[in-house]
Structures are given as C-alpha cells and as structure tokens.
Amino acid sequence: MSTRAARRPIAAALVALALVGTTAACAPQPTTQLLTGAAAAGSAQESVQDTAQGAAPRAATGGTTSGTATAAADCSDGLPAVASADPDGSPEVTSGSTMADIRERGALRVGVSADTLLMGSRNPFNGDIEGFDIDVARQIADAILGDPDKIQYRVITSGDRETVLEDGDVDVVTRAFTINCDRWENIAFSAEYYHAGQKLLVPSTSDVESIDDLDGQRVCAPEGTTTLERLEEWEGVEAVPAATHTTCLVLFQQGAVDAITGDDTVLAGFAAQDPYAKVVGDAVSDEPYGVGIPAGQPDMVRFVNGVLEDMVSSGQWEESYDRWLGDALGSAPDAPEPVYGRTP
C-alpha cells in the first residue's frame, strides 16, 4: 500500500471529526448570536476564499508558473487601500465616543466565522469560538471593557460582512476581511493586521516547493473563483475545479489531485486537519486583512488601530500567530506595517 493510500482513511477521519465537532458545537452560547439562512448555509472557508480573492488587486501571473505578490493599487483618493486613520496615541475611551457607548452597553458585538479553522472556529470540546481573528476581537474588547470575554459573537458568512456593519448589527467584523478600495465606499477599515496570500497545499512527502514545480500535476481550486482563473493560466498544470474548498480537500485526500491552491489562512486550516499535508510556496496574491468598522466612526477606527499597535509592540500579535498559524505556515513574519493618512 502506498503512503498516500495509507493516509487516506486517517486524514479523512480527522476531517470528518473536525467538521462534525464544529457543527455539533455551534449551539448558541450565552454571549453568542447566530445568523440563520445564508449564515447557516455553505462553507465558511469557501466564502472566505471566494470573497477575498475576488475583491482585491493582485499580481498577474501571465501565462507562466511564476508570480509574486504585489501591493494593491491606490484608490480614487490617491491613498492605498490599506491606508487607515492614525491612532494618534494609545487607545483611550473618551466620554461621548463610540467606545463609551459600547462600554455602557456592556459587550462588544463582533461578526465572526465559526468554522474557519485557526482563524475563527468553534472548539468542539468547550464550544468557544477561537482563532487568530478571535484574538484580535478579544484585544479590542479588553481595551474597551477591561475584559476580553465581554463579546457578543455574531456568526456570519463572508457575504454578510459589509451588510452587518452597514445595518449597525455589529460594532466590528474580524472575519478574514480583505481591505480594498470598493469596500471603503461603504464601510471603514482598521490598518492591516494580517497579510494573506494564495499558496499551495501539498502532501508532506511532496518535493513541490512552489508553483514552478507543478508541471504535469493536478491542482484543485473552487469553481467560479479568481483562484481557479489564475490556476488555469499556469503552464503545464492541470486545473481541477471543484464545488467548494472542502471538495478540493476530499479530492486531495483521495489522491485525485496533487495539490490545492488558496489563501494561506484557509490552507493552514486544512493542514491542521491533515497531518500528512503541508503549505508551501511564496504568496502569488495580496490579501490584506483588516478589522471592518461601520462608516462614520473615525474614533473607533483610530481606537482599533491603537489596539493593533499595542498587540504588535507587546508581542501579543506574534504569540497569536505562533499559536494558530505557526505550525502550518512557519515562523511568524513581521506584523504588517500600518499605513495611515486616511480620514474614514
């Protein structure tokens, strides 16, 4: 029996356990709100990739199997999409501010994912929502309320992210939210707190180290995404479309494809579920994640940016990265350098 064949039942069982555990643990907790309908349908990991990769400018790969991430183009106001408002000092809750209203309410309302492993997902053993995105939300809650647990989580799909902010249903969104110029028209963003990019998931025994090593191999990506469009431009690669990222993972574990391509955050979750897989390659797209904030709240934008600066300077950002993403993506990179100059 081949190594690939031997690992299939083990890996498939791990994925099944993770998916069942997440679903079973998704009953509402005392401080948790759940959406129904669209929020209950589909794969959150599919939604993250479809929305994030379809929204931001990124590097063109031409017709070759090479490409590197490039910075997003400037918006119509002449500022880069990742530009936010200068925090102007440490985060402080002042009288009459948006943060003071949240403190009076007694809880921070946050839009999150509950099944994007490592970024925002239910722990099947204790029911808590946890991950890198959740750590960011907890730091904001702690800065406003003095308690990181004073959060009302609202589980949303990626398609809900702008809507819940525009409708005032949440105070912030921390859900692998790519910053781009179009979204600035409707909402505001913090400075970038994580820089994601398209990479590869391959078997741990594979010699593939980058897209340049994929000649003759079968690579899966979800249908209807720019990820698949980019994949189809890579010379010598057999692009294999699938309905969802989860379907790609099943094909990968069955040996029907040799690799999966997608955001490194999504692939890190897959690698955590499958000990016989690894994430490789340099990013070939730019996906800067920011905290989504309702438009017209510049005080909240500045406050959150102050919180993010404190996370980096205190070592909390690196600690969170190591805890959630380090095993799959390697040693923590430098935290994104904040860009300021925008008036939300």
Side-chain angles (χ1 to χ4, degrees):
M1 180 181 293
S2 69
T3 302
R4 187 65 178 273
R7 77 180 179 88
R8 291 175 196 162
I10 300 174
L14 287 168
V15 172
L17 176 61
L19 293 176
V20 171
T22 296
T23 302
C26 278
Q29 302 299 307
T31 58
T32 303
Q33 295 174 303
L34 297 180
L35 288 178
T36 57
S43 163
Q45 292 186 0
E46 176 188 8
S47 299
V48 168
Q49 188 76 2
D50 289 349
T51 302
Q53 297 222 350
R58 51 187 66 80
T61 57
T64 69
T65 59
S66 64
T68 55
T70 59
D74 287 350
C75 300
S76 59
D77 58 7
L79 293 171
V82 294
S84 188
D86 194 316
D88 193 25
S90 299
E92 183 178 347
V93 178
T94 57
S95 177
S97 66
T98 302
M99 296 73 70
D101 291 341
I102 295 170
R103 178 176 288 179
E104 183 176 355
R105 185 198 309 139
L108 179 72
R109 301 171 305 171
V110 186
V112 299
S113 172
D115 56 2
T116 304
L117 195 64
L118 305 182
M119 294 299 287
S121 64
R122 288 276 191 189
N123 183 316
F125 300 103
N126 59 27
D128 292 341
I129 301 179
E130 57 188 23
F132 189 84
D133 280 340
I134 307 306
D135 281 359
V136 172
R138 286 172 58 82
Q139 290 295 312
I140 298 170
D142 191 35
I144 296 175
L145 298 149
D147 186 342
D149 293 322
K150 287 188 175 180
I151 295 180
Q152 291 178 348
Y153 292 112
R154 177 156 183 163
V155 177
I156 60 175
T157 68
S158 62
D160 296 323
R161 293 176 297 190
E162 286 186 60
T163 302
V164 294
L165 289 168
E166 291 179 292
D167 292 347
D169 295 332
V170 298
D171 300 308
V172 296
V173 166
T174 57
R175 195 195 187 286
F177 206 175
T178 297
I179 306 168
N180 66 57
C181 297
D182 287 343
R183 288 174 175 155
W184 270 108
E185 298 295 323
N186 304 310
I187 62 171
F189 280 104
S190 72
E192 179 183 4
Y193 69 84
Y194 183 80
H195 196 87
Q198 182 183 343
K199 293 186 178 182
L200 297 168
L201 184 82
V202 299
S204 57
T205 56
S206 173
D207 293 330
V208 170
E209 296 181 353
S210 72
I211 59 176
D212 295 320
D213 303 323
L214 290 175
D215 188 35
Q217 300 207 29
R218 302 157 299 175
V219 184
C220 189
E223 298 169 344
T225 65
T226 54
T227 303
L228 181 61
E229 293 174 4
R230 189 180 299 110
L231 173 59
E232 290 172 340
E233 296 176 352
W234 294 350
E235 290 183 355
V237 177
E238 180 182 346
V240 180
T244 66
H245 283 97
T246 302
T247 306
C248 278
L249 183 59
V250 172
L251 293 174
F252 175 76
Q253 292 172 334
Q254 290 175 341
V257 298
D258 303 296
I260 303 172
T261 186
D263 271 11
D264 55 4
T265 51
V266 175
L267 301 184
F270 286 167
Q273 296 175 63
D274 187 344
Y276 298 96
K278 61 182 179 181
V279 180
V280 299
D282 294 328
V284 293
S285 73
D286 280 303
E287 311 297 344
Y289 293 168
V291 178
I293 300 167
Q297 295 183 359
D299 59 342
M300 188 66 170
V301 174
R302 289 191 291 268
F303 185 91
V304 170
N305 285 341
V307 172
L308 295 177
E309 285 195 354
D310 286 351
M311 281 190 69
V312 174
S313 63
S314 68
Q316 178 61 49
W317 187 92
E318 183 175 359
E319 181 180 327
S320 292
Y321 179 96
D322 288 341
R323 179 183 181 189
W324 301 111
L325 302 171
D327 286 347
L329 300 180
S331 300
D334 291 337
E337 188 72 26
V339 179
Y340 300 130
R342 188 183 300 275
T343 301

